[in-house]
Amino acid sequence: MHQDILINWSPQETRVAVVEHGAVQELHVERALERGLVGNVYLGKVSRVLPGMQSAFIDIGLERAAFLHVADVWHRQESGEAPMFARKGEPPVPIERQVFEGQPLMVQVIKDPIGSKGARLSTQISIAGRLLVFLPQDDHVGVSQKIPAAERDALRARLQALVGSKDTGGGGGFILRTNGEDASDTELQEDIAYLRKAWANIRQAALTRPAGSLLHQDLNLLQRVLRDIAGEQTQSIRIDSREQFELLAEFGREFMPAAAPKLQLYKGERPIFDLYSIDEEVARALGRRVDLKSGGYLIVDQTEALTTIDVNTGGYVGARNFDDTIFKTNLEAAGAIARQLRLRNLGGIVIADFIDMVREDHRAAVLAEFKKHLARDRVKTMVGGFSQLGLLEMTRKRTRESLAQMLCEPCPTCRGVGEVKTARSVCYDILREVLREARQFNPREFRVVASPQVVELFLDEESQHLAGLSDFIGKPISLQAEGSLGPELYDIVLL
């Protein structure tokens, strides 16, 4: 798989596009004022404990209090064992016995604030390095599940020897990341030393800073490109800022020597994102409809609870019979849906409504094609297969806001509903409101202030109803058009 990474940097915003086989697969955006919080370590203060929800609200200095659930509270077992979460099947110690209001607490953000929800926290601290993840409160040494099982035991034993024990001045929990599989002992030792130093700085800051302070910040998006996004399949990493190129090259040489040689300074006259029409792809990714090359199309609807994707044949009539037409459209849609999930960063529950297929082998082939494309996704996904109703159900881990949530806001006219009342519906609302007001008050005149479309309808098709209401209540009703009012907004003034 051929992969290129393009970085468009400006003082206010960093944009990273992952391009595979000439098509944009992922877009990452980080704004200077809206940088993600996942991985940040804070010295928080418990502001409220909710025993009924087995959770607590923690003040970490943000606009909204963060959320700590009992399942994310790290504690020592009474038997004196190493710190751990409650074992599977065992009820956790009630949260009201573990934290109390006003208590200072070191916490780490594990999920960014999304919508009206505050950040989600854990009291288990983990610090990610180039090759390892450090768990300073633990003594467990583990290996990534993505590394083949046959190699894990040998790697675990080798890492354990490098980590040492508390008696020899070592200790602490470490997990070997996937990109550390072929690392040398020297590289691993350097990462261990770096992570322990970072933890020592965090502990020192916790002793000197007030509650609500940021103790440790995760890498920025540019640095995460080298650590998390670039891999063996990456051919080039092009960036259009000389200053950031030099900073990133220095960071890469120190921490990511394998990725550093792939860095290139883009000097072209055209904006770097114009190379693959990335801005046009982003504009399409913010719309509901996604056209397929065959003539079919997808309709993507994102809600608070889940995302639904509907597949339609559209104008595709290229196959020999109707079953083949449906099968070919669904096959193409499987790849397109997997790409849209990555490009839009859609998380949570996803329901894909493929066109109904009669043949079981067609359904199996579409499911296999979908899973093949999902295998390229770095974000964890689980596919449940087709339901009895023919819907494909899956989940994709939600770690940050979707592309639409990051770049857009609800429409002020429809307030995010996506629809507004017709002008005729608003006219009838006004007629009912005038009648309601006439029964309570006795003004000289009623003046209706509404949008030009509503006023025009009252002067034309609904004029008879307006005149009939005026005769019924015995008061004149005047009209005033106000262009600044939305289609559903109106005011009734008593004169």
Side-chain angles (χ1 to χ4, degrees):
M1 179 177 63
H2 182 94
Q3 182 188 87
D4 291 295
I5 299 175
L6 307 181
I7 304 175
N8 170 226
W9 184 87
S10 65
Q12 65 274 9
E13 184 180 65
T14 302
R15 299 189 299 166
V16 175
V18 179
V19 180
E20 295 173 2
H21 303 297
V24 185
Q25 302 294 329
E26 298 177 32
L27 182 73
H28 302 262
V29 179
E30 181 177 87
R31 290 173 174 166
L33 298 177
E34 302 172 3
R35 186 172 165 188
L37 305 176
V38 172
N40 287 2
V41 180
Y42 294 86
L43 182 63
K45 186 176 183 180
V46 181
S47 58
R48 192 176 176 194
V49 180
L50 304 173
M53 295 175 60
Q54 281 301 290
S55 59
F57 286 112
I58 313 294
D59 180 9
I60 57 173
L62 302 179
E63 183 180 345
R64 292 192 299 270
F67 179 80
L68 175 67
H69 189 264
V70 68
D72 298 316
V73 177
W74 191 257
H75 62 95
R76 289 190 177 274
Q77 301 294 316
E78 294 181 2
S79 61
E81 297 173 356
M84 61 186 299
F85 293 114
R87 284 197 183 88
K88 204 169 185 179
E90 290 185 5
V93 178
I95 196 165
E96 61 269 25
R97 288 173 50 192
Q98 301 189 64
V99 300
F100 55 86
E101 290 187 14
Q103 174 187 0
L105 198 63
M106 187 187 295
V107 291
Q108 185 169 36
V109 177
I110 58 176
K111 186 177 288 187
D112 277 327
I114 297 177
S116 61
K117 300 176 183 176
R120 182 160 180 172
L121 305 175
S122 172
T123 58
Q124 181 193 23
I125 309 301
S126 65
I127 309 169
R130 179 170 69 92
L131 307 171
L132 304 164
V133 176
F134 183 35
L135 307 174
Q137 301 143 304
D138 199 355
D139 290 317
H140 172 71
V141 173
V143 177
S144 169
Q145 295 292 315
K146 293 182 180 179
I147 295 176
E151 302 175 21
R152 283 187 215 145
D153 289 341
L155 287 170
R156 187 180 293 107
R158 181 174 152 219
L159 181 58
Q160 182 68 69
L162 293 172
V163 169
S165 65
K166 288 183 178 179
D167 297 335
T168 59
F174 287 87
I175 297 174
L176 184 70
R177 294 166 63 112
T178 311
N179 59 351
E181 181 180 357
D182 300 320
S184 66
D185 286 358
T186 302
E187 290 174 320
L188 291 172
Q189 285 173 331
E190 289 175 352
D191 218 31
I192 290 170
Y194 161 74
L195 291 169
R196 283 178 172 157
K197 183 177 180 181
W199 173 238
N201 292 339
I202 291 172
R203 293 183 65 185
Q204 180 61 34
L207 296 175
T208 57
R209 296 182 187 174
S213 297
L214 173 64
L215 305 179
H216 171 80
Q217 191 168 29
D218 199 15
L219 302 182
N220 62 35
L221 178 56
L222 287 177
Q223 296 164 331
R224 293 200 307 276
V225 167
L226 298 189
R227 188 188 74 184
D228 300 333
I229 300 177
E232 292 181 2
Q233 73 277 13
T234 305
Q235 304 296 312
S236 67
I237 306 169
R238 284 179 273 181
I239 182 170
D240 61 1
S241 164
R242 179 176 295 277
E243 178 187 0
Q244 296 302 317
F245 168 76
E246 292 172 353
L247 291 172
L248 198 55
E250 182 181 350
F251 173 81
R253 284 191 294 270
E254 183 175 357
F255 294 106
M256 316 288 162
K262 300 175 182 178
L263 274 170
Q264 300 174 10
L265 176 62
Y266 176 72
K267 301 178 181 178
E269 293 184 4
R270 294 173 62 197
I272 190 169
F273 270 24
D274 284 3
L275 295 180
Y276 293 97
S277 303
I278 292 171
D279 287 326
E280 288 84 346
E281 284 285 351
V282 172
R284 282 193 287 268
L286 296 175
R288 290 184 67 222
R289 177 167 170 149
V290 179
D291 290 317
L292 305 176
K293 291 180 180 178
S294 65
Y297 61 93
L298 311 177
I299 297 294
V300 182
D301 284 310
Q302 185 181 354
T303 68
E304 185 77 16
L306 52 82
T307 298
T308 60
I309 303 176
D310 186 34
V311 183
N312 298 276
T313 55
Y316 179 53
V317 291
R320 291 169 297 177
N321 56 57
F322 190 57
D323 283 350
D324 282 345
T325 299
I326 290 173
F327 178 54
K328 293 286 177 56
T329 304
N330 282 341
L331 271 182
E332 185 185 2
I337 290 172
R339 177 172 174 250
Q340 290 297 318
L341 293 177
R342 291 176 66 187
L343 183 58
R344 298 171 185 243
N345 193 35
L346 298 173
I349 300 171
V350 179
I351 305 295
D353 185 9
F354 286 92
I355 307 166
D356 287 341
M357 293 171 282
V358 177
R359 292 172 52 177
E360 188 61 38
D361 60 328
H362 282 181
R363 297 174 75 171
V366 169
L367 183 58
E369 180 76 3
F370 188 49
K371 289 182 176 179
K372 183 184 80 173
H373 287 282
L374 285 178
R376 301 175 185 170
D377 200 336
R378 272 187 301 276
V379 177
K380 184 179 180 182
T381 58
M382 290 180 60
V383 181
F386 286 99
S387 69
Q388 291 182 335
L389 298 177
L391 304 174
L392 191 143
E393 303 168 357
M394 64 165 290
T395 61
R396 186 173 186 269
K397 187 175 180 182
R398 196 199 310 260
T399 56
R400 57 189 173 92
E401 289 184 320
S402 70
L403 190 65
Q405 289 171 325
M406 184 175 294
L407 301 182
C408 305
E409 63 182 8
C411 168
T413 301
C414 70
R415 296 177 292 279
V417 174
E419 297 174 329
V420 294
K421 288 182 178 180
T422 64
R424 196 177 305 278
S425 297
V426 177
C427 284
Y428 296 163
D429 286 344
I430 290 173
L431 294 176
R432 286 189 292 270
E433 184 65 23
V434 169
L435 181 59
R436 191 178 298 114
E437 296 282 346
R439 289 170 176 169
Q440 299 181 55
F441 305 102
N442 187 29
R444 176 173 51 85
E445 177 188 339
F446 289 93
R447 177 168 296 171
V448 175
V449 183
S451 66
Q453 298 94 325
V454 171
V455 171
E456 185 178 347
L457 200 59
F458 268 135
L459 293 174
D460 187 11
E461 299 176 30
E462 298 298 333
S463 58
Q464 187 175 351
H465 291 138
L466 186 67
L469 178 62
S470 178
D471 292 340
F472 180 75
I473 62 176
K475 304 286 182 182
I477 302 175
S478 61
L479 301 172
Q480 179 181 331
E482 184 60 62
S484 61
L485 288 178
E488 291 186 357
L489 299 179
Y490 61 86
D491 194 12
I492 297 173
V493 182
L494 308 183
L495 300 176

